[in-house]
Amino acid sequence: MLNWSTHLLTEYFAAVNAAEDEDEAIRNAVERAVEMVEAEVGAVVRDGHVHGAYGFGGPAPAGALHAVATGEGRLIAPGIGDLYAVASPLGDIAADALVVGRLDESFEPEERQMLQGMAQVLGLNLRSIRVLAAERHLRAEKERQATSAQTRQRLVETLLTIQRAISGRRPLPEILDAVTSGAADLLEGATVVLMLAEGGTDRRLTIASMHGEEISPPDGVAREAMTQAAVLIRPDATGTTIAAPVRVTGEMAGSLVAHLPGTVETHAEERDQLAAFAQQVSLALTDARTVEAVREANHDPVTGLPNRALFLKILNRVLASRGTEADPTSVLFIDLDRFKVVNDSLGHDAGDQLLALVARRLRACVRASDTTARLGGDEFAALLHDSPVESATVVGERIVASIKEPFRVAGREVFIGASVGVATSREVAERSETLLHNADLAMYRAKKDGPGRVLTYEPYMHAEVLDHLSLRGDLQRALREGEFRLQYQPLIRLADGTPAGVEALIRWHSPARGFVSPVDFIPIAEEFGLIVDIGQWVLETSATQVAQWRRTYPDLGLNVNVSGHQLVHPRFADNVMRALALAGLPSSAVTLELTESVLMSEPDLGKAALHSLRALGVQLSIDDFGTGYSSLAYLRELPVDELKIDRAFIARAELTGEDLALVRTIVELAQILGLRTVAEGIENVTQLSSLRALGCGYGQGYHLCRPTDPADIPAKLESLAIVTRLRT
Ligand code: C2E
Ligand code: MG
Ligand code: MG
């Protein structure tokens, strides 16, 4: 007896010990215990459940087993009968026991003792398996946390690399490669493909970039992810494919697809990573497209030359970096003579060809380091570095001679000419607009004297051409005598048509000159330093007016245009707050509009003033947005609340497709940056509905409401509100 029991006991310990998990240990223990005492049935009762039931033939009689385990009753098993049963506790918990049942004889004391020992060994084993499992679980959890922290870190780093490629204005293909190689890095061992849709009607998918082992284009799954707008994970012949949709400026643009070895079940985390990555890629590409759009917006498509905005920006940079008066910068303003004749008689295509040829000749007349630009129509400009007025005049003469030579356009010879105005920087930190304007004045004079001339700017031209000096006196008198008036144009919430605020627009009916547009007199008021006083009058008058309207429309806001000259005035913020205090208008009701070019030309001075105004609760808006040259990076730094999209873009917004793209990009960019968007100059219902569909927040324009005299504003606001009430 001792022999077989020792042998079988050793086997029992070995079997229980070797078990990898609780179920296996229990199964081994029960079977061997039943075998050793030649019993019929056995089971373990633990944590209130029956485990490893053996020999019952059918379902184990749980109730009877529980009863035996706690020391009561006999074991009656269906289909077997009434059994002698013995329960051996597994440990301290009495109800946890190994139960064995035998039909024909009761258990001897030695048998009971042996079963007791076996039960205890099992109990010990089960406990250590639990501890081990818990430890293993903990360790796995810790490892998982460590790797996911590492992965997150890598994800952030990869995205930063991509962002850097974008803000460094790297070419688009390079950015796309950074995307796929970044994702492949993140999902170790994966092949990553970025599939983008081409513009055509069928929107064919092509591989924009691939990183890793070459695979055939995953067209199907890429397209499916796009149509379902969802991240897909699929088994395939050699592993798993994950596809995440990519959007550019809000529209489905393609898919980021990863192919990995291994089964679908093992890649849940990679699926989430690719999804997060694709989302970032969408933002990044939208940003990159914006950079491209801005670039496109800075070059003239006909000649490939920089346009006016870029020219001014370059001129700004040159003027700012020019340390001494020893290296003057000259600007040539070049206007073609008789271009209109060619354009009208030979057609636009011929006109465009001619402009491209002119651009080539102009470039040949200046040094490679100089900048030539097309300002618009038949106007060009050149920026000459280190060029005193004498040598600039020589370049001007060369240009006139070169343009006089015949051009071959549309199979025939055409003859045109050029008039050139020259302006040279005199003071350090001269404004680029001023310099270009002076060159323009000189050109105007040159043209008047007879075409084909070069003239240098002289201060008298100013007064002469625009009648400046008397205008200065007139403006001073206008302010003194109260000749200025304000009109107000409502800003409409596009979603529901309700008025959100009004923009104050200055009007001048001069007794001597008649109506003078602010476009004409504001620059002169700026030049003579009158704008600070005029601007203050506008602020005080409009603030008082709006405070009064707010008794009926408590949420009505006020937008006021502010000139760059006001912004850099040391007491500007004080002046604004004084005007608001006098009127009793809260600062949160006021939005100051500054043009993009002002912000770009006075980057540092302006920024300080903007921050202090913002701190006082006043909101800030960039007026005529899109006409200047804001870098995205710069926009992010500015404390701005609102972008007013220039009406030049809105005029194109009634068209579809490409022409909408820039407006959509601006709206989306604003959303990313958390800014309000206002569309200026909405002139018809088509533009209105396009803008509404794009998600532009607010609108202004003749179609909604013209600039209106203050007396008529309450009625306008009332009718706008009524229309809305009727509609909703
Ligand atoms: P802005 O601030 O961009 O003002 C919008 C201009 O567009 C206004 O011209 C307005 O009358 C006009 N406008 C509004 N809706 C439409 C439309 O649907 N179609 C078209 N074609 N035009 C529309 P306005 O009043 O001649 O003012 C011209 C510019 O003069 C303003 O441009 C602003 O830069 C400046 N300005 C006006 N008042 C002030 C002022 O009080 N202070 C300063 N510093 N500048 C002012
Ligand atoms: Mg404005
Ligand atoms: Mg504007």
Side-chain angles (χ1 to χ4, degrees):
M1 160 112 181
L2 207 76
N3 270 346
W4 60 257
S5 70
T6 310
H7 168 70
L8 286 180
L9 263 183
T10 315
E11 247 191 19
Y12 173 87
F13 292 148
V16 171
N17 262 321
E20 299 235 314
D21 57 36
E22 298 185 0
D23 284 345
E24 193 184 342
I26 291 174
R27 217 167 39 242
N28 289 346
V30 172
E31 283 174 23
R32 286 192 164 67
V34 167
E35 206 180 307
M36 276 171 72
V37 295
E38 295 178 342
E40 270 70 37
V41 298
V44 162
V45 176
R46 188 166 180 241
D47 303 334
H49 294 280
V50 174
H51 302 269
Y54 177 77
F56 289 98
L65 283 166
H66 278 296
V68 175
T70 46
E72 305 153 26
R74 296 172 58 96
L75 183 58
I76 300 168
I80 300 176
D82 194 351
L83 298 144
Y84 298 100
V86 60
S88 321
L90 301 179
D92 298 338
I93 303 167
D96 288 358
L98 168 67
V99 178
V100 177
R102 194 157 66 189
L103 257 184
D104 30 80
E105 51 184 320
S106 64
F107 291 93
E108 297 294 316
E110 305 90 78
E111 285 177 317
R112 289 174 184 270
Q113 202 180 339
M114 188 171 67
L115 286 169
Q116 205 98 92
M118 290 166 76
Q120 261 158 23
V121 167
L122 175 63
L124 266 177
N125 251 293
L126 290 178
R127 281 192 292 281
S128 77
I129 287 175
R130 270 208 180 162
V131 170
L132 275 179
E135 268 177 10
R136 209 177 304 131
H137 179 75
L138 255 178
R139 210 167 33 240
E141 178 64 16
K142 272 208 189 106
E143 271 167 19
R144 208 185 54 73
Q145 278 176 1
T147 44
S148 77
Q150 263 175 358
T151 319
R152 262 202 306 278
Q153 179 70 19
R154 284 222 314 273
L155 180 70
V156 169
E157 274 166 18
T158 315
L159 289 171
L160 272 178
T161 313
I162 297 170
Q163 280 295 346
R164 264 198 293 274
I166 288 165
S167 53
R169 308 278 163 96
R170 306 305 307 159
L172 197 59
E174 221 171 279
I175 294 171
L176 300 183
D177 285 345
V179 167
T180 49
S181 69
D185 252 16
L186 194 68
L187 314 177
E188 278 157 295
T191 294
V192 179
V193 188
L194 178 62
M195 312 263 327
L196 291 179
E198 285 185 337
T201 42
D202 56 343
R203 312 240 322 142
R204 206 159 58 85
L205 283 177
T206 52
I207 297 186
S209 169
M210 182 183 313
H211 198 92
E213 263 173 52
E214 195 148 318
I215 55 172
S216 55
D219 264 72
V221 66
R223 193 172 289 284
E224 225 178 299
M226 288 170 69
T227 47
Q228 294 186 21
V231 184
L232 303 179
I233 181 160
R234 294 278 162 78
D236 61 33
T238 55
T240 301
T241 299
I242 313 175
V246 169
R247 292 177 175 80
V248 174
T249 59
E251 278 192 353
M252 213 42 98
S255 272
L256 190 62
V257 185
H259 178 265
L260 299 121
T263 59
V264 166
E265 292 72 37
T266 58
H267 288 310
E269 192 164 342
E270 280 81 357
R271 178 193 170 280
D272 294 348
Q273 284 170 5
L274 195 75
F277 205 77
Q279 226 154 43
Q280 292 300 324
V281 167
S282 300
L283 284 182
L285 286 181
T286 299
D287 223 351
R289 283 291 159 91
T290 313
V291 171
E292 279 224 323
V294 169
R295 207 202 77 82
E296 273 166 24
N298 279 286
H299 286 267
D300 164 43
V302 174
T303 61
L305 293 179
N307 63 15
R308 181 188 208 99
L310 183 54
F311 182 77
L312 283 173
K313 185 185 177 235
I314 295 170
L315 184 55
N316 250 326
R317 207 164 48 214
V318 171
L319 291 179
S321 65
R322 204 170 43 98
T324 65
E325 288 183 50
D327 53 351
T329 305
S330 288
V331 169
L332 306 186
F333 198 109
I334 304 143
D335 188 280
L336 303 183
D337 304 323
R338 292 184 306 278
F339 172 77
K340 198 173 168 330
V341 180
V342 177
N343 206 36
D344 290 350
S345 55
L346 297 183
H348 284 299
D349 284 349
D352 284 358
Q353 270 178 42
L354 179 57
L355 289 171
L357 293 173
V358 167
R360 205 188 294 167
R361 281 196 200 173
L362 288 179
R363 268 203 304 259
C365 290
V366 300
R367 286 169 295 187
S369 57
D370 294 335
T371 303
T372 10
R374 179 171 173 218
L375 301 177
D378 60 354
E379 293 175 347
F380 293 82
L383 186 169
L384 312 180
H385 298 274
D386 302 342
S387 179
V389 69
E390 301 76 29
S391 49
T393 311
V394 172
V395 175
E397 303 283 3
R398 199 187 299 151
I399 288 174
V400 168
S402 162
I403 303 297
K404 240 190 221 147
E405 293 297 311
F407 288 89
R408 250 203 113 65
V409 173
R412 65 173 77 191
E413 295 214 315
V414 300
F415 295 86
I416 57 168
S419 302
V420 178
V422 181
T424 303
S425 61
R426 288 157 302 158
E427 334 148 19
V428 174
E430 190 148 26
R431 293 193 50 185
S432 56
E433 282 90 351
T434 315
L435 204 55
L436 187 62
H437 185 62
N438 290 348
D440 187 4
L441 289 180
M443 186 284 297
Y444 183 81
R445 238 337 266 269
K447 211 166 196 130
K448 238 169 117 183
D449 287 359
R453 280 171 200 268
V454 180
L455 260 190
T456 308
Y457 167 77
E458 302 281 348
Y460 78 84
M461 292 174 177
H462 242 224
E464 190 189 78
V465 176
L466 286 177
D467 195 9
H468 265 42
L469 289 173
S470 72
L471 195 57
R472 172 191 190 165
D474 285 359
L475 278 171
Q476 274 167 332
R477 204 199 48 236
L479 189 59
R480 209 173 46 234
E481 312 266 308
E483 288 168 14
F484 292 123
R485 294 275 177 276
L486 289 180
Q487 282 193 318
Y488 297 87
Q489 188 178 31
L491 278 84
I492 308 297
R493 208 173 274 112
L494 291 185
D496 60 7
T498 50
V502 291
E503 175 177 3
L505 295 163
I506 194 165
R507 299 290 175 253
W508 181 28
H509 290 277
S510 156
R513 300 165 184 268
F515 178 78
V516 186
S517 162
V519 176
D520 293 326
F521 73 79
I522 296 278
I524 295 160
E526 287 178 339
E527 194 175 331
F528 292 124
L530 294 168
I531 192 66
V532 173
D533 289 337
I534 295 178
Q536 189 64 17
W537 175 83
V538 172
L539 256 168
E540 285 170 10
T541 311
S542 59
T544 310
Q545 181 61 265
V546 168
Q548 188 196 326
W549 289 331
R550 275 164 66 95
R551 288 184 211 140
T552 318
Y553 298 93
D555 295 328
L556 197 70
L558 168 63
N559 277 40
V560 180
N561 294 287
V562 169
S563 142
H565 294 250
Q566 291 171 268
L567 183 65
V568 298
H569 191 279
R571 278 199 308 282
F572 179 57
D574 293 344
N575 289 345
V576 172
M577 294 319 284
R578 188 162 44 91
L580 301 190
L582 277 176
L585 189 65
S587 57
S588 59
V590 176
T591 304
L592 300 181
E593 296 187 7
L594 288 141
T595 61
E596 206 182 351
S597 55
V598 161
L599 293 174
M600 295 311 286
S601 64
E602 311 274 1
D604 293 329
L605 265 177
K607 218 189 280 173
L610 292 182
H611 278 286
S612 53
L613 279 165
R614 231 314 187 65
L616 294 167
V618 173
Q619 306 195 46
L620 302 166
S621 170
I622 302 186
D623 204 353
D624 305 343
F625 183 79
T627 53
Y629 188 81
S630 311
S631 75
L632 294 172
Y634 185 65
L635 250 188
R636 282 196 176 123
E637 279 172 33
L638 283 178
V640 169
D641 305 276
E642 178 182 283
L643 295 184
K644 293 189 83 169
I645 308 168
D646 192 69
R647 65 165 179 273
F649 299 106
I650 307 308
R652 303 198 303 212
E654 65 192 285
L655 304 166
T656 47
E658 295 298 297
D659 286 309
L660 266 181
L662 197 59
V663 178
R664 174 183 295 126
T665 302
I666 294 174
V667 170
E668 202 150 304
L669 169 66
Q671 272 163 5
I672 293 171
L673 298 174
L675 308 177
R676 283 198 298 271
T677 37
V678 184
E680 298 183 322
I682 300 178
E683 289 186 348
N684 58 48
V685 68
T686 323
Q687 292 166 351
L688 180 63
S689 46
S690 299
L691 288 159
R692 202 178 267 147
L694 287 183
C696 180
Y698 300 84
Q700 233 180 321
Y702 294 165
H703 176 68
L704 296 164
C705 185
R706 288 190 173 256
T708 303
D709 289 334
D712 302 328
I713 281 287
K716 287 277 184 199
L717 294 179
E718 177 65 9
S719 68
L720 285 164
I722 285 176
V723 169
T724 310
R725 276 203 295 276
L726 287 179
R727 218 188 300 139
T728 50

